[in-house]
Amino acid sequence: MKRRNLVIVASFLLLLVLFASANASQWSEVIVQADNVETAAAAVYAYGGRVDETLGIINSVSAEMPRGALASLREDSRIVAVYVDHTMDAAGRGSGSRGPKDLSVDFPEVIGADQALANGITGEGITVAVVDSGISRHFNWSRDRVLTRYDALDGPARPHEDPNGHGTFIAGIIGNDDNDGEGYMGVAPGVQFVDVRVLDAEGKGSYADVVEGLDWVLANRDAYNIRVVNLSLVGAIGGPYWADPVNQAVEELWEAGVVVVAAAGNAGPDPLSIAAPGNDPFVISVGAFTDNYTPADESDDFVPPFSSAGPTETGFIKPDLIAPGAHIVSVMDPSSFWAKNHRESRIQGSYYEAAGTSTATAITSGAVALLLQAQPDLTPDRVKYTVMASAHPAVYEDNALTWSIFQQGAGRLWIPGAIWGDHMGEANGDMVPGEKYVGPVVYRDGNFVIVEQQGNDVPESDDYLWNGGYLWNGGYLWNGGYLWNGGYLWNGGYLWNGSSEWQLWEEGAEWQSGYSWLGDGTSW
């Protein structure tokens, strides 16, 4: 009898599991956009959905919708768009380094941050929002300089500020004030932080959580003097940048005066591998280079294969610049998920070594904080112009570019040139956040070609090109002298369709097949 009862109970539990699984499969997690959040929420309820969070930054709500109601919801005249709530990942990697395992940190010197620090420029008075997996209180600098915390993840209160480890590692690169005997181990040891947690213990998060975190930053930017947002995370490309909720959110922050620094991605070296939101034309998108353990010698530097390359899906040249992104040393709690799964990357105590465009992004965010302390009145467009115009492109002895503009953008980050150089332009031309733009790059006859508005190849002259590369200091596109804002077969632009051709994507048409950012299998 007891055995029969156990069988009955087990069968009942199995049926409950199967029912729950089947029921879950009937629901979709989406982001619903309308003219305002109230209208978006009303439409969700009208079709039997459940609202999770309001996302005022993009006039949307995150919701669970019955799959059978999605078509009707999309056709509702009140709705602007319905987006699948995709996953985002931390843009970091295990080091895989064969170099020496010691606590020597050279990336502040490689970008010239030591020169700023020697002149009393430490990032003091600037707050950086680290939108990531959290910042642990395990360290003196993080206990003292994290102003506040916001958790966008649903569930019980977190017993551990950063169960993954990535966010703490990133914050340490930006502002660790430990000293390795030769200088600070962070780029801007005077900055303050706000901790915006959007990634879980495995370093993953949803688009809705990331947008929620950015929404909080927008609402609280003045209260905490948030001047920089660090986004060392990546998402797949499923359409043009303007049809991505996270891209829409970062443009709102940009327009509100907050500099957004985003990872290019770790899906290189192939072209068209820039991830979201680094594919957005407004933000500062950062690729990686390595000094090859010779920080004083640039001749053996190279772009590691993992660093994503442009152009973007809408023809913009990315990344905007590159920063050190290999054998980067920073801190994390040894009990965190990443630390326990990458024991080979541990150097000593709480110090680990890692690589990726996430680390290059953090270095750039720290550099931007230094620049903003030195020149606090700079707008995001002027900050972007300044760091690009002062970057050092890698060139051969004959001044030909060593690496493609789609790999290095304007070149290596160099903060002394940004702080003390004479750079009066503005990036992004006359472009307006929230509008749709196409870049000047098309795919034709097996090559990526820079064209002017009528579709003709841009002549290889000093007026437009610099020794076969991009005239970053001249007058094309990003600095306001030339804006490719319409014209050449433009209803949507020449976009990659996932195979070997570019095709015209017409305004209002369904995205054809797109291409997915798949990573390289080693991302966190």
Side-chain angles (χ1 to χ4, degrees), residues 1-298:
M1 180 66 70
K2 289 183 178 179
R3 185 172 182 177
R4 179 183 298 174
N5 288 339
L6 288 173
V7 170
I8 292 172
V9 171
S11 300
F12 178 70
L13 291 174
L14 178 61
L15 286 172
L16 284 177
V17 170
L18 292 174
F19 175 78
S21 177
N23 188 52
S25 68
Q26 301 303 312
W27 292 79
S28 294
E29 295 182 352
V30 294
I31 296 173
V32 181
Q33 188 174 54
D35 290 337
N36 53 69
V37 294
E38 293 79 13
T39 300
V44 168
Y45 291 131
Y47 294 99
R50 302 187 289 253
V51 171
D52 294 327
E53 300 288 346
T54 59
L55 308 172
I57 192 171
I58 58 169
N59 295 321
S60 300
V61 297
S62 60
E64 296 172 85
M65 289 296 303
R67 288 186 184 274
L70 283 174
S72 297
L73 178 65
R74 287 191 173 98
E75 293 172 0
D76 193 306
S77 60
R78 296 173 293 177
I79 297 305
V80 172
V82 178
Y83 306 105
V84 175
D85 190 5
H86 290 298
T87 299
M88 301 202 81
D89 300 279
R93 304 158 43 93
S95 176
S97 169
R98 294 191 296 272
K101 292 286 186 180
D102 59 45
L103 287 182
S104 175
V105 172
D106 59 33
F107 58 81
E109 290 76 26
V110 171
I111 66 166
D114 57 324
Q115 298 182 37
L117 299 176
N119 283 273
I121 302 172
T122 65
E124 184 177 358
I126 304 300
T127 303
V128 179
V130 178
V131 181
D132 212 286
S133 62
I135 303 176
S136 172
R137 286 191 176 94
H138 192 74
F139 310 99
N140 289 333
W141 60 267
S142 60
R143 281 195 296 271
D144 297 339
R145 302 205 329 265
V146 175
L147 300 179
T148 191
R149 302 173 188 271
Y150 180 78
D151 195 336
L153 302 185
D154 296 328
R158 50 176 163 163
H160 192 306
E161 292 88 3
D162 181 14
N164 177 265
H166 184 267
T168 305
F169 194 88
I170 292 303
I173 294 169
I174 296 170
N176 182 4
D177 60 8
D178 286 350
N179 196 299
D180 66 357
E182 297 181 0
Y184 289 110
M185 300 180 75
V187 174
V191 299
Q192 294 179 306
F193 297 99
V194 292
D195 169 9
V196 182
R197 186 184 178 212
V198 299
L199 303 179
D200 63 16
E202 296 184 0
K204 297 182 181 298
S206 70
Y207 262 57
D209 288 335
V210 174
V211 174
E212 181 186 340
L214 298 176
D215 184 69
W216 183 91
V217 171
L218 182 65
N220 292 274
R221 66 193 186 282
D222 293 333
Y224 297 102
N225 192 33
I226 301 171
R227 300 293 306 275
V228 185
V229 170
N230 187 93
L231 288 170
S232 290
L233 42 77
V234 292
I237 305 298
Y241 74 87
W242 59 77
D244 183 293
V246 175
N247 287 58
Q248 294 173 22
V250 299
E251 290 192 17
E252 289 293 328
L253 284 167
W254 193 270
E255 188 171 33
V258 181
V259 180
V260 179
V261 187
N266 298 332
D270 293 337
L272 289 157
S273 54
I274 302 292
N279 65 325
D280 193 283
F282 286 90
V283 305
I284 300 174
S285 306
V286 187
F289 77 93
T290 175
D291 63 19
N292 208 16
Y293 298 96
T294 58
D297 179 9
E298 293 185 351

